[in-house]
mmCIF file of all heavy atoms in Angstrom:
data_model
loop_
_atom_site.group_PDB
_atom_site.id
_atom_site.type_symbol
_atom_site.label_atom_id
_atom_site.label_comp_id
_atom_site.label_asym_id
_atom_site.label_seq_id
_atom_site.Cartn_x
_atom_site.Cartn_y
_atom_site.Cartn_z
ATOM 1 N N MET R 93 -18.422 10.358 10.551
ATOM 2 C CA MET R 93 -17.255 10.727 9.560
ATOM 3 C C MET R 93 -17.242 12.115 9.358
ATOM 4 O O MET R 93 -18.339 12.825 9.389
ATOM 5 C CB MET R 93 -17.584 9.928 8.319
ATOM 6 C CG MET R 93 -17.465 8.508 8.395
ATOM 7 S SD MET R 93 -17.576 7.808 6.730
ATOM 8 C CE MET R 93 -16.896 6.119 6.947
ATOM 9 N N GLU R 94 -16.075 12.563 9.089
ATOM 10 C CA GLU R 94 -15.681 14.000 8.606
ATOM 11 C C GLU R 94 -14.871 13.777 7.386
ATOM 12 O O GLU R 94 -13.822 13.168 7.557
ATOM 13 C CB GLU R 94 -15.104 14.826 9.778
ATOM 14 C CG GLU R 94 -14.926 16.242 9.505
ATOM 15 C CD GLU R 94 -14.403 16.963 10.624
ATOM 16 O OE1 GLU R 94 -14.853 16.703 11.786
ATOM 17 O OE2 GLU R 94 -13.588 17.830 10.444
ATOM 18 N N VAL R 95 -15.395 14.349 6.373
ATOM 19 C CA VAL R 95 -14.550 14.243 5.091
ATOM 20 C C VAL R 95 -13.902 15.583 4.871
ATOM 21 O O VAL R 95 -14.636 16.630 4.907
ATOM 22 C CB VAL R 95 -15.625 13.880 4.013
ATOM 23 C CG1 VAL R 95 -14.805 13.758 2.679
ATOM 24 C CG2 VAL R 95 -16.281 12.624 4.229
ATOM 25 N N LYS R 96 -12.580 15.661 4.631
ATOM 26 C CA LYS R 96 -11.897 16.880 4.255
ATOM 27 C C LYS R 96 -11.076 16.586 2.954
ATOM 28 O O LYS R 96 -10.732 15.519 2.733
ATOM 29 C CB LYS R 96 -10.908 17.248 5.454
ATOM 30 C CG LYS R 96 -11.610 17.493 6.721
ATOM 31 C CD LYS R 96 -10.721 17.985 7.819
ATOM 32 C CE LYS R 96 -11.444 18.242 9.055
ATOM 33 N NZ LYS R 96 -10.908 19.397 9.764
ATOM 34 N N SER R 97 -10.875 17.723 2.278
ATOM 35 C CA SER R 97 -10.105 17.570 0.975
ATOM 36 C C SER R 97 -8.697 17.950 1.380
ATOM 37 O O SER R 97 -8.439 18.800 2.245
ATOM 38 C CB SER R 97 -10.637 18.727 0.020
ATOM 39 O OG SER R 97 -11.944 18.378 -0.267
ATOM 40 N N LEU R 98 -7.737 17.250 0.677
ATOM 41 C CA LEU R 98 -6.295 17.454 0.978
ATOM 42 C C LEU R 98 -5.676 17.641 -0.433
ATOM 43 O O LEU R 98 -5.724 16.731 -1.211
ATOM 44 C CB LEU R 98 -5.718 16.238 1.695
ATOM 45 C CG LEU R 98 -4.289 16.259 1.820
ATOM 46 C CD1 LEU R 98 -3.649 17.355 2.783
ATOM 47 C CD2 LEU R 98 -3.765 14.907 2.314
ATOM 48 N N GLN R 99 -5.017 18.714 -0.717
ATOM 49 C CA GLN R 99 -4.330 18.930 -1.834
ATOM 50 C C GLN R 99 -2.775 18.838 -1.594
ATOM 51 O O GLN R 99 -2.284 19.529 -0.757
ATOM 52 C CB GLN R 99 -4.681 20.347 -2.500
ATOM 53 C CG GLN R 99 -4.058 20.663 -3.767
ATOM 54 C CD GLN R 99 -4.642 19.829 -4.931
ATOM 55 O OE1 GLN R 99 -5.932 19.589 -4.964
ATOM 56 N NE2 GLN R 99 -3.824 19.198 -5.730
ATOM 57 N N THR R 100 -2.149 17.946 -2.343
ATOM 58 C CA THR R 100 -0.607 17.839 -2.255
ATOM 59 C C THR R 100 -0.032 18.077 -3.540
ATOM 60 O O THR R 100 -0.742 18.210 -4.572
ATOM 61 C CB THR R 100 -0.253 16.353 -1.653
ATOM 62 O OG1 THR R 100 -0.567 15.457 -2.710
ATOM 63 C CG2 THR R 100 -1.044 15.989 -0.340
ATOM 64 N N LYS R 101 1.291 18.039 -3.602
ATOM 65 C CA LYS R 101 1.875 18.248 -4.834
ATOM 66 C C LYS R 101 1.686 17.034 -5.652
ATOM 67 O O LYS R 101 1.935 17.105 -6.967
ATOM 68 C CB LYS R 101 3.385 18.541 -4.648
ATOM 69 C CG LYS R 101 4.185 17.407 -4.006
ATOM 70 C CD LYS R 101 5.568 17.778 -3.840
ATOM 71 C CE LYS R 101 6.374 16.537 -3.040
ATOM 72 N NZ LYS R 101 7.651 16.869 -2.713
ATOM 73 N N ASP R 102 1.318 15.936 -5.143
ATOM 74 C CA ASP R 102 1.087 14.627 -5.884
ATOM 75 C C ASP R 102 -0.314 14.591 -6.461
ATOM 76 O O ASP R 102 -0.558 13.678 -7.189
ATOM 77 C CB ASP R 102 1.351 13.390 -4.982
ATOM 78 C CG ASP R 102 2.964 13.453 -4.603
ATOM 79 O OD1 ASP R 102 3.729 13.800 -5.376
ATOM 80 O OD2 ASP R 102 3.046 13.034 -3.491
ATOM 81 N N GLY R 103 -1.232 15.450 -5.985
ATOM 82 C CA GLY R 103 -2.593 15.404 -6.460
ATOM 83 C C GLY R 103 -3.528 15.624 -5.286
ATOM 84 O O GLY R 103 -3.186 16.029 -4.087
ATOM 85 N N ALA R 104 -4.772 15.441 -5.592
ATOM 86 C CA ALA R 104 -5.894 15.880 -4.562
ATOM 87 C C ALA R 104 -6.423 14.541 -3.984
ATOM 88 O O ALA R 104 -6.454 13.463 -4.664
ATOM 89 C CB ALA R 104 -7.063 16.416 -5.386
ATOM 90 N N TYR R 105 -6.560 14.469 -2.731
ATOM 91 C CA TYR R 105 -7.154 13.343 -2.001
ATOM 92 C C TYR R 105 -8.191 13.806 -0.972
ATOM 93 O O TYR R 105 -8.442 15.139 -0.858
ATOM 94 C CB TYR R 105 -5.972 12.870 -0.992
ATOM 95 C CG TYR R 105 -4.695 12.472 -1.788
ATOM 96 C CD1 TYR R 105 -3.671 13.137 -2.107
ATOM 97 C CD2 TYR R 105 -4.713 11.086 -2.178
ATOM 98 C CE1 TYR R 105 -2.551 12.708 -2.772
ATOM 99 C CE2 TYR R 105 -3.584 10.541 -2.896
ATOM 100 C CZ TYR R 105 -2.618 11.404 -3.181
ATOM 101 O OH TYR R 105 -1.416 10.976 -3.906
ATOM 102 N N GLN R 106 -8.971 12.876 -0.523
ATOM 103 C CA GLN R 106 -9.870 13.107 0.512
ATOM 104 C C GLN R 106 -9.594 12.331 1.698
ATOM 105 O O GLN R 106 -9.243 11.157 1.570
ATOM 106 C CB GLN R 106 -11.395 12.667 0.058
ATOM 107 C CG GLN R 106 -11.936 13.652 -1.148
ATOM 108 C CD GLN R 106 -13.283 13.317 -1.552
ATOM 109 O OE1 GLN R 106 -13.626 12.194 -1.781
ATOM 110 N NE2 GLN R 106 -14.058 14.378 -1.589
ATOM 111 N N VAL R 107 -9.543 13.001 2.915
ATOM 112 C CA VAL R 107 -9.191 12.411 4.012
ATOM 113 C C VAL R 107 -10.600 12.280 4.893
ATOM 114 O O VAL R 107 -11.252 13.135 5.044
ATOM 115 C CB VAL R 107 -8.279 13.207 4.831
ATOM 116 C CG1 VAL R 107 -7.870 12.498 6.238
ATOM 117 C CG2 VAL R 107 -6.978 13.550 4.061
ATOM 118 N N VAL R 108 -10.759 11.011 5.354
ATOM 119 C CA VAL R 108 -11.951 10.674 6.106
ATOM 120 C C VAL R 108 -11.594 10.301 7.488
ATOM 121 O O VAL R 108 -10.868 9.368 7.780
ATOM 122 C CB VAL R 108 -12.808 9.547 5.460
ATOM 123 C CG1 VAL R 108 -14.050 9.211 6.272
ATOM 124 C CG2 VAL R 108 -13.197 9.904 3.979
ATOM 125 N N LEU R 109 -11.907 11.110 8.443
ATOM 126 C CA LEU R 109 -11.818 10.794 9.850
ATOM 127 C C LEU R 109 -13.107 10.171 10.372
ATOM 128 O O LEU R 109 -14.101 10.679 10.193
ATOM 129 C CB LEU R 109 -11.501 12.129 10.768
ATOM 130 C CG LEU R 109 -10.213 12.829 10.226
ATOM 131 C CD1 LEU R 109 -10.583 14.114 9.660
ATOM 132 C CD2 LEU R 109 -9.366 12.901 11.417
#
Side-chain angles (χ1 to χ4, degrees):
M93 290 184 167
E94 187 172 317
V95 181
K96 297 186 178 213
S97 299
L98 172 68
Q99 185 67 45
T100 71
K101 63 181 179 185
D102 300 325
Y105 298 92
Q106 289 183 311
V107 178
V108 179
L109 297 115

